[in-house]
């Protein structure tokens, strides 16, 4: 699971924020999806200073191609 998460982060599948609304872009067809079906928080691997990055991950369902995809909602050091 953590490996998958880092693949997502490394590929830059991050959220765009438009006027306070988070939007994720479907990697299959490019449709913007505004509301995650599910979201959760997860702590990543510690860096060289021992700080971990807490990520908030969302699962989205694309209304166009019907494929679920994940995106990173927010990142912060904890
Ligand atoms: Zn799609």
């Amino acid at each position: 699971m953590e490996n998958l998460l880092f693949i997502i982060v490394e590929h830059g599948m991050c959220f765009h924020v438009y006027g306070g609304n988070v939007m994720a872009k479907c990697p299959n067809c490019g449709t913007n999806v505004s509301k995650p079906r599910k979201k959760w928080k997860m702590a990543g691997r510690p860096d060289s200073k021992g700080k971990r990055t807490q990520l908030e991950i969302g699962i989205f369902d694309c209304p166009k191609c019907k494929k679920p995809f994940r995106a990173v909602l927010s990142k912060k050091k904890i």
Side-chain angles (χ1 to χ4, degrees):
M1 188 61 203
E2 280 211 356
N3 286 340
L4 176 67
L5 181 65
F6 281 96
I7 291 165
I8 294 166
V9 174
E10 279 156 23
H11 284 75
M13 285 171 63
C14 283
F15 268 64
H16 306 286
V17 181
Y18 301 112
N21 293 314
V22 285
M23 300 281 278
K25 199 170 221 175
C26 173
N28 301 301
C29 69
T31 300
N32 283 318
V33 187
S34 60
K35 213 173 162 41
R37 165 158 54 93
K38 193 178 173 209
K39 59 180 180 177
W40 71 94
K41 283 182 180 158
M42 186 172 229
R45 289 178 284 211
D47 66 12
S48 56
K49 294 184 182 106
K51 290 226 170 197
R52 290 163 77 92
T53 303
Q54 182 177 275
L55 299 156
E56 196 175 7
I57 313 297
I59 294 185
F60 292 78
D61 291 310
C62 176
K64 197 171 173 186
C65 65
K66 313 288 181 199
K67 288 195 185 202
F69 64 95
R70 294 177 180 84
V72 178
L73 295 161
S74 64
K75 273 193 260 193
K76 67 173 178 187
K77 291 272 183 184
I78 53 171

